[in-house]
Amino acid sequence: MNMSSRTLSLAVEEQLRSLCLKDFPCGHGCWSKSRGNIFEEQSWGYIEQDEGREGAAKEEQEALMEHLTSPLSPWRHEGSWSPQAPTLRELSVRTPELLHGNFIFSHFNTLRIVDKGVSIVDDGLLRFSSLRELVLSANKISELQAEYLPCTLQVLELYANQVSSLKGLCSQPLPCLQHLGLGCNRQGSPADIQYLTGTLWPRLVSLDLSWSGFQGQQALVDALATLPCLRTLVLEGNPLTFTPSYPGFILDSLPRLLYLGATRVTPDDHHRFGGLAKMRDRIVDQAMATVTVRRIRGVPDPLLTVDESSPEFPVVSYSYFVNYEFLRQPPSGNKAGSDTASTSDPMAPIAEKTDGGIVGIYQTPKENCEEETTNTPIPDTTARTMESLGTNHCSIDVMMNSTHKLAWAEYMDYDHTSVHSVGELGSFKSFILRGLWLTVEEEKVLSWPAPSGEQPITKSTTEKKGGKECARPPSNTCSNQKSKDKNKKKVSIMDLVQDTPIRRTLGSIHVPLQDLVSGDQRVDVLCNLGVLLTEQSTRAMPPRDKDPSKKSKHDKKKEDKKTKSSADSAGGQKNAAPPSKSKGKGRKESEADFRMDDNSAPSPNQLEPMTVEFTVHLEKWRSASEVHHLVHP
């Protein structure tokens, strides 16, 4: 046996010893007036002899019971691991002669051995002949043999263990079992489904399969339909819950269900999804996820950093787009459910929808671009391409998807929507648990006059400022038209050759998606990428003036000269104002106002952060009639 393994019998024995049945105030000690001569405990192999001590105070049975039950008593035992633990201590005071091995084991009908490092369930559990409920959550059990479980067992909870197969549990069926908790384990293979039938569990009322790896709906439903008493089913966290047919297909195929997860099944649910169980040809084990990028705001205007004295060429244009990760799918010829679905499939959605029409999902081309580094940390997507995450250890392969490019605006409305069809549900679950990375990219293009004999590249309408240009809507082209009219012999701004685009990442953020696994259908996130600092916003503030009262000698001499000259120019005019006292004061006030305006530049805490409105939505069928319209529009 492995030295690190720990048996259930050892953990139960430790709990029994914690009851201190032979210590004060329990047992036949010298502190009890009803004490006998000898108390023998056969189950643990110890004998407590009368030591013949005289003069010790003896207490009545009621006083000893108060020590056990008083909330402030240091001898009070909570007994959270079994409701029978406190009652057994009371019996050790009232009738200690009954505390022999067989009585102690038969006294318990509930055992809750939680997070005790148990890895092996041995035959010692068979001594508990009256056991009805056994909770072994949060342990390290990987295999369970049914022959080591009492046949009287009605509740078996194995949540958060390492059970990878149900074969051992079904070797000897438990005829009285009503609840089986297998949530958060490693089962979920097609071989495990064959052990969830009515022949093995004829009285099973509640079944917890949450946070497992079950993917095939039809095979699972066919097995669960044979359980005649099943009324409560928990499937939260399984890959099959991402499909559009969940929960409708489950509810219509198992009409006797009263609870699906924590939600009560209503007659309206049965009515809405009625007939869906007969549309088995429409039940596909794949998920439909819609990703939407709506608006970006908080990107600084690139024209604010343009120098007015810069030369006319090169012409600089800026554009912005969003990159986000999503699960890469195999080619459609190898695996059903690729990102770009076939139009012949009535269930296949369009790949991407924009205001300009329908285009395909594409990966950001980087082979023809130069990267410009920034201070913003860029996520290493290559290192994250293949990762081992999730309950089922599925490796996930992600790719970067991009929106279309937009010229700078205070609010850049992309309204980008792309629909991803995912066939690998296990990998999709791992990807959802991991979350995705989103980045905002800036692309800068330098354009030069086309040499003679070279085909120019047509540029979009731009706005010129200081010899450099930035992409703008057509309404802002009046300045370009004027410059053309002034000098028609100059090279036309439309006849330009573009350099290789230069891209830089303005910001990146991790977007959590765990709510989709917990049962939510939609995740709406306002991604805050922080304040993007530019040369304009990070320009050093002017130094503050020293205390005006502490002027240097040089300043005082200059001020005295000015005061004297102004007094001499006044001459003998008696009604003249004092020598430029008010003017000096006004000048100081104006200088103070100027300094105040200088120092009132917005700090980084006052600048608007760069934000992206981002949504991931799982498609779900709301009724059987909706599916019928999809098949027969």
Side-chain angles (χ1 to χ4, degrees):
M1 181 182 296
N2 190 355
M3 297 299 295
S4 62
S5 60
R6 179 178 171 85
T7 62
L8 179 59
S9 296
L10 180 60
V12 173
E13 184 179 347
E14 291 179 354
Q15 296 295 331
L16 289 175
R17 290 186 179 277
S18 68
L19 297 178
C20 302
L21 297 178
K22 63 177 182 177
D23 298 331
F24 180 86
C26 303
H28 257 312
C30 61
W31 49 83
S32 176
K33 288 186 177 181
S34 60
R35 175 178 178 268
N37 293 328
I38 297 176
F39 171 64
E40 181 179 354
E41 178 52 69
Q42 300 176 355
S43 62
W44 297 326
Y46 65 83
I47 298 178
E48 184 180 12
Q49 301 287 350
D50 184 5
E51 298 178 358
R53 289 177 294 178
E54 300 294 339
K58 298 181 182 293
E59 297 191 30
E60 295 291 342
Q61 190 177 94
E62 290 73 13
L64 296 176
M65 289 294 299
E66 186 177 356
H67 289 315
L68 296 179
T69 57
S70 175
L72 301 179
S73 173
W75 295 282
R76 177 183 173 86
H77 192 276
E78 295 296 336
S80 59
W81 61 278
S82 177
Q84 288 76 47
T87 61
L88 186 64
R89 301 194 75 203
E90 295 176 6
L91 286 176
S92 68
V93 174
R94 298 182 185 277
T95 55
E97 64 275 3
L98 296 178
L99 298 185
H100 55 81
N102 293 334
F103 177 83
I104 291 177
F105 293 127
S106 62
H107 179 74
F108 288 92
N109 55 45
T110 299
L111 290 178
R112 298 168 184 164
I113 311 300
V114 179
D115 196 17
K116 299 299 180 181
V118 175
S119 58
I120 298 177
V121 178
D122 56 345
D123 57 355
L125 193 63
L126 296 175
R127 294 179 292 180
F128 294 87
S129 57
S130 302
L131 193 62
R132 301 288 186 272
E133 179 180 348
L134 178 61
V135 180
L136 299 175
S137 301
N139 283 288
K140 301 176 181 179
I141 302 171
S142 59
E143 189 176 0
L144 190 65
Q145 299 298 328
E147 54 264 25
Y148 296 153
L149 300 176
C151 60
T152 57
L153 207 59
Q154 297 179 358
V155 175
L156 177 58
E157 183 58 65
L158 297 169
Y159 189 87
N161 276 273
Q162 301 173 10
V163 179
S164 58
S165 175
L166 303 178
K167 184 178 180 179
L169 187 60
C170 300
S171 59
Q172 183 177 330
L174 301 173
C176 300
L177 196 66
Q178 298 181 12
H179 170 78
L180 179 58
L182 297 171
C184 200
N185 278 277
R186 296 179 179 177
Q187 78 277 353
S189 65
D192 293 328
I193 297 178
Q194 62 180 326
Y195 300 114
L196 299 174
T197 60
T199 56
L200 299 174
W201 318 105
R203 298 187 181 181
L204 196 64
V205 177
S206 173
L207 178 60
D208 181 7
L209 299 176
S210 60
W211 296 97
S212 299
F214 292 98
Q215 302 186 33
Q217 284 189 87
Q218 298 191 35
L220 182 62
V221 163
D222 292 341
L224 298 181
T226 63
L227 298 172
C229 301
L230 186 64
R231 297 296 182 270
T232 301
L233 178 63
V234 184
L235 294 174
E236 177 187 350
N238 280 274
L240 61 84
T241 60
F242 299 128
T243 60
S245 55
Y246 180 86
F249 179 70
I250 299 290
L251 294 178
D252 195 45
S253 302
L254 304 174
R256 292 188 295 268
L257 277 184
L258 298 179
Y259 287 91
L260 183 59
T263 305
R264 181 173 179 83
V265 181
T266 63
D268 181 63
D269 296 329
H270 289 295
H271 175 72
R272 285 189 297 113
F273 298 112
L276 197 57
K278 299 179 181 179
M279 303 181 187
R280 298 177 70 91
D281 57 329
R282 306 309 308 164
I283 306 302
V284 181
D285 295 327
Q286 66 180 26
M288 298 292 195
T290 302
V291 179
T292 304
V293 181
R294 291 190 176 86
R295 169 180 288 186
I296 296 181
R297 58 184 299 176
V299 178
D301 188 351
L303 287 182
L304 295 178
T305 60
V306 173
D307 189 2
E308 295 287 347
S309 62
S310 59
E312 184 178 2
F313 294 103
V315 177
V316 184
S317 61
Y318 294 86
S319 59
Y320 300 87
F321 59 95
V322 177
N323 282 339
Y324 65 90
E325 290 180 329
F326 210 81
L327 192 66
R328 184 194 301 272
Q329 288 298 297
S332 57
N334 300 333
K335 180 72 178 177
S338 61
D339 281 343
T340 307
S342 173
T343 55
S344 60
D345 185 0
M347 290 302 300
I350 58 177
E352 181 178 345
K353 298 179 292 185
T354 62
D355 293 339
I358 300 175
V359 297
I361 295 175
Y362 57 94
Q363 187 174 6
T364 306
K366 294 189 177 182
E367 60 274 8
N368 295 325
C369 299
E370 298 179 2
E371 297 293 337
E372 183 177 308
T373 59
T374 62
N375 294 329
T376 304
I378 304 175
D380 185 4
T381 58
T382 304
R384 295 197 311 272
T385 298
M386 300 298 294
E387 298 183 11
S388 178
L389 295 172
T391 307
N392 300 315
H393 303 280
C394 294
S395 59
I396 56 176
D397 186 7
V398 299
M399 66 176 294
M400 298 300 294
N401 299 266
S402 301
T403 65
H404 54 282
K405 301 172 185 177
L406 288 180
W408 181 90
E410 185 177 358
Y411 304 102
M412 289 178 277
D413 293 319
Y414 286 88
D415 292 330
H416 167 94
T417 300
S418 57
V419 181
H420 301 262
S421 176
V422 183
E424 292 289 345
L425 295 179
S427 300
F428 187 55
K429 174 185 173 181
S430 300
F431 172 73
I432 294 297
L433 290 174
R434 165 191 176 273
L436 59 84
W437 281 92
L438 179 144
T439 62
V440 177
E441 305 283 339
E442 177 188 75
E443 182 176 279
K444 180 171 68 172
V445 179
L446 304 180
S447 301
W448 306 82
S452 58
E454 183 174 344
Q455 183 67 26
I457 299 177
T458 302
K459 282 288 295 179
S460 59
T461 306
T462 56
E463 179 183 356
K464 184 176 178 182
K465 181 176 182 179
K468 294 194 176 183
E469 301 183 2
C470 183
R472 283 291 186 268
S475 59
N476 296 331
T477 60
C478 57
S479 60
N480 292 333
Q481 190 64 34
K482 291 178 180 180
S483 63
K484 293 179 186 178
D485 295 339
K486 290 181 179 180
N487 192 356
K488 296 183 180 180
K489 294 182 180 181
K490 288 187 177 180
V491 179
S492 173
I493 198 170
M494 304 296 292
D495 299 338
L496 300 175
V497 176
Q498 296 180 355
D499 284 352
T500 302
I502 302 174
R503 290 180 180 171
R504 70 181 181 119
T505 301
L506 302 183
S508 61
I509 189 172
H510 179 263
V511 181
L513 303 174
Q514 291 90 339
D515 290 344
L516 296 177
V517 189
S518 303
D520 290 350
Q521 188 177 347
R522 183 187 185 96
V523 172
D524 288 293
V525 183
L526 180 62
C527 304
N528 189 335
L529 289 84
V531 176
L532 186 62
L533 299 179
T534 61
E535 295 179 2
Q536 180 79 7
S537 58
T538 58
R539 185 175 300 168
M541 298 296 181
R544 294 184 178 180
D545 292 339
K546 298 180 180 179
D547 190 350
S549 60
K550 300 179 181 179
K551 297 182 180 180
S552 63
K553 295 181 179 180
H554 180 70
D555 294 338
K556 288 183 178 180
K557 289 181 180 180
K558 292 178 64 177
E559 188 173 339
D560 293 340
K561 289 182 180 180
K562 291 181 180 179
T563 305
K564 187 176 180 180
S565 60
S566 60
D568 293 342
S569 62
Q573 297 179 4
K574 297 181 180 180
N575 297 331
S580 67
K581 199 170 187 179
S582 61
K583 292 182 181 180
K585 183 179 179 182
R587 181 177 57 83
K588 292 179 182 179
E589 289 179 353
S590 63
E591 289 177 357
D593 293 340
F594 177 77
R595 288 194 299 267
M596 186 181 298
D597 292 338
D598 256 351
N599 291 330
S600 62
S603 66
N605 294 331
Q606 297 173 337
L607 295 176
E608 181 182 13
M610 182 169 59
T611 58
V612 181
E613 298 177 8
F614 187 78
T615 301
V616 178
H617 174 78
L618 287 179
E619 180 183 340
K620 292 291 183 180
W621 294 341
R622 292 169 293 182
S623 64
S625 60
E626 179 181 346
V627 184
H628 181 77
H629 288 306
L630 291 174
V631 180
H632 305 288

